[in-house]
Structures are given as structure tokens and as C-alpha cells.
Amino acid sequence: MMDSKQFFDLCKRSKRGKKIEKGDWDLDYITIPVKNLVEKYDLHWEKENLIPEDPEMFGRMFEAAKELITTVGMYNMSTKKVIHFTEEEIEQGLHDMSTELVMGEGKDAYILVPRGIEDEKAPAIWAGNPGCPTPENLYYEVVKSVAQEPIIDLLTCGSLIDVDGHKVKNGEVTEILAVRRELDYLRKVLDEVGRPGMGLLAAESAVTEIGDLAAISEGRLRPCDSHLVSFFNELIVDNGNLLRAANKLGYGMRNASLACAMIGGMAGDAPGACLVMIASIMAANLIGMADYHLCHPIHITDIATTSRSCLWLQSVLCQTFATKAPALIVCDLWPASGAMTKELLYEVAANAIVVTVSGGHLEGVGATAGSVPNGTGLEVRFMGEIGKAVAAQHMTRKEANEIVLKLLDKYEHIFKAPGSNWGVRFDEAYDMETIQPLPEWNQMYEEVKAELAEMGIHFL
């Protein structure tokens, strides 16, 4: 694994060579090369086949991504220079990827391992409303609604938008307070639900490296927890990202790489965005010192991970690593809909099915694509039930694809409908005293669950 000397050497590379303006990077290093590689490697997708069974295509996708990252490298927006990687370094990074990672501690420890295609091994249920901006007066209750669900394995959370009545601002004192308050709430909730050692992906309130550094304090983010080391679109870092990655040195917490490749953006349609995201993961093994990888595609207009092209990307990325370089791939579920809408549950089901049969782990649910605090523990429970059922019944990709197409018929209209389908806030879907779903929300869940059972999900 990479040591501090090797990482420092990589960081120094972004101070060498000629300066490149970001606009030139986007066009000359991303748009044109990716378009050429998509054509060279014959990468395409079919809108009715969202879970393809094409190992030759997975191989071509993998090689295209390696060619991209070794040819163009990664752009440091702070220095306006490029960090270059050799093919040998990329290969070594792939070879050194974690294949067993202990998250959490004691009786609550969970061991993350790579999953295979159509794997009977259950995916990890990494539960919460990742990144969702949440007011402090709802924060504890939202987190508890998730943490109390027995089906979950690991916990994540949204970000605090205010602390003690003060709006949180990036790089200011309030950001430090928000990060520490977030972790205090998480620790309190885990103690109350009897799972104090559960592993976390946290410090979500840290927008800057200042907040990320603030997470490292006694009783808050432990070495057995994780934080985000995110990149910018596409294949871009800044010095703040490098500081986040370096935060683990001498401490040991896990780095979760995150590259939200944009479908319909500079990399083009789903195949181009997929190869960019795979290239980002290859780079994150090095410049991000990643312990595991988050797969979070974003559609340029639909945003949510439940759009057809995002589902296809997550499936292909998971299957590509499962066949070419087993890795810890955790897929974000960010549906467009919110609490008290059946569409939210249909979206969760479709996304969970795709990821599970393709070899990924599950993280979410980021209801309303992380826009407003309209997420609850109920759809998180549903994500876990779907993922574990699909794995246990050894569902095939063909069977999964048929179910997902039926689910798309039930929710895809929301992407073109006027307005949003955000539903209601947490406190309008849950009883704030008992932290249980209101009868209407629970009834929707039971009805949709029955529909999924008729489609072929064998709930445990």
C-alpha cells in the first residue's frame, strides 16, 4: 500500500510542467480524447438492456479507461498543472486495492469484501441520506430513523445546514462546529440503538478541508470510520482534495473516493461517462489513497442515479471491476423522488436490483437526489430488503433487467414532469416522538412491497 513518501511524490507532480487553463483541460484532455476512445473501443449502450451480459465489452471499457488515465492524467485546479501517472503505477494501484476492509469495531464491526456478478453474498447496506442538507432540528431524528433499522450494516448521514441557529458557511467557524456536531449526533444515536461500534461514512458537513480536519477528534471520526475524498468533474482535483486524502496519514481512517461523472456532460453519453469514472477510480487508488470507491453518476438533466443511463453505468462499472480487478465498489442510490411517494420506493427498488446483481454494495438513500430533507428510514429498510433478497435468491441479470424495466414504467415519467416529485419533509412522514413512519407512509411501503413480490422478489 502507498506510504506518505509515495503520496508526497505524486502531489509534487502537480507543481511541474506547463500551466493549462481549465477550459483547455475540459476540451483537449476530456471531451476529445473520451470521444475518440469511445469510438476506438466500440463502446455503446442499449436503453432496454440496462444490465448487459457482455464480458468483452467490460474488457474494452477497462482498457479504454486505463488508456485515458495514463494518457491525460489528472488536473490540479489549484496549480493549473497535470498529475501524470505511469501505466506501471496504475497497474500497481489496481493490484493493491483493498479486498477486505474492516469498518467499525467490536461486535458491530463489518467486513467489506468485493462482490461478484449475480453473487449470492449479500451487499453491504450502508444506510443514511448521504450529503442531504438537513436542518439541525431534524438531524437527530432522521439519523435515528435509519440507525434503528436492524437490516443495516453501516451508517452514513446528511450534512447540517445550521448549528445553534447559525447558518453553516464553508471555511468558517460554523463548518467546524457543524462537522463536530454531526459526529456527536451519530455517536449518540448509535449508543441509543445499541450498536456503538458501527462503522461510519461521515463528516458529510465538511465541504472544505477545514471541516474534514475538524472531524479528527476524540470520540468522533475513528480510524475504523471513513470520510469522503471527492474529485471534481472530470478528472480534476485541487489542493483541498489532496489535503483530505492526506488526512488519513498517521491516523488511519478510511478514504472513500468519490467521482460523480456527469452523463451528458464533457464525457458525453453513458459509455464515455463510465470510462471516465473507471479512470477516476484508477487514479483514486493513487492520488486519493482510496480504501474503497463510491460510484455516483449524475445525469446532466435528470440528476438521479435512477435514470436509465445512470443505472446502466453503475451496472457496467460494477461488472467491469468484478471481472477485471475485484474492488470494493459502493454505489450511491439517489432517487429523484421523496418521502410519501410510491415513486421513491420504485426508484429504490430498481437501483438496488441493478447494483446487487452487478456486484456492487448499496449506499443510500439520498431521496430527492440530495436536494431537501425528505428522506426517511423506511426507504432505507426497503433498499436493504431488496438487496438481500435479490442476492439470496441468486437472481440473474436477465431476470433483474425485466423487473427493472417494469419499475421504470412506474417512475420514469417524473423526469419529464413539470415541478418536482419531492414528497414531504421527514417530520411530515414520521412521528417525531416515536420515530416511526406515519400510517400512510407505511401503507405505501407495504403496497409497493407486495407489487415487487408479484414481480419476482422473494423477500426474506
Side-chain angles (χ1 to χ4, degrees), residues 3 60 80 106 314 423:
D3 59 27
R60 296 197 304 275
K80 296 186 177 182
Q314 287 189 326

Side-chain angles (χ1 to χ4, degrees), residues 126-130 156 333-335 337 344 348 363-367 375-376 379-381 383:
W126 209 320
N129 56 342
T156 186
L333 273 65
W334 262 36
S337 304
L344 172 58
V348 167
E363 195 222 19
V365 174
T376 75
E379 66 269 16
V380 164
R381 181 198 307 171
M383 175 183 76

